[in-house]
Amino acid sequence: MILSQGKGTACEPLATATDRSQYLVHRVTGPERRRLCEMGLVEGAKVDVINRARPGMMIVKVGGCRLALVRGVADYVMVR
């Protein structure tokens, strides 16, 4: 688990999220940042984890849209 800077709020990568849970996006980093933001994964967005379809992939719901994310990309989305 990673602590966010300055606020003391625990954050974790979306890739470690559990099925049927809700999170808020804390920040998005990495080379896919722009594409993820365009898909609605922006700071403060609510993310519902639908399921971890298979190893290395997960289905999430953001703002009414379902997205399939691979673990490598979901590692760049920090949630709490």
Side-chain angles (χ1 to χ4, degrees), residues 6-75:
K7 295 185 181 179
T9 305
C11 291
E12 62 182 291
L14 182 59
T16 63
T18 58
D19 285 355
R20 297 182 176 96
S21 53
Q22 293 184 344
Y23 297 89
L24 288 176
V25 175
H26 180 67
R27 73 173 175 261
V28 180
T29 62
E32 299 292 329
R33 183 180 187 282
R34 182 175 179 179
R35 188 172 70 110
L36 290 168
C37 290
E38 288 172 352
M39 292 190 298
L41 289 165
V42 295
E43 184 177 334
K46 185 176 85 170
V47 178
D48 296 316
V49 178
I50 305 299
N51 70 16
R52 300 177 62 82
R54 56 185 165 177
M57 179 179 268
M58 65 190 322
I59 308 295
V60 298
K61 184 177 177 183
V62 180
C65 296
R66 288 185 179 205
L67 307 173
L69 299 174
V70 295
R71 182 181 175 108
V73 172
D75 278 332

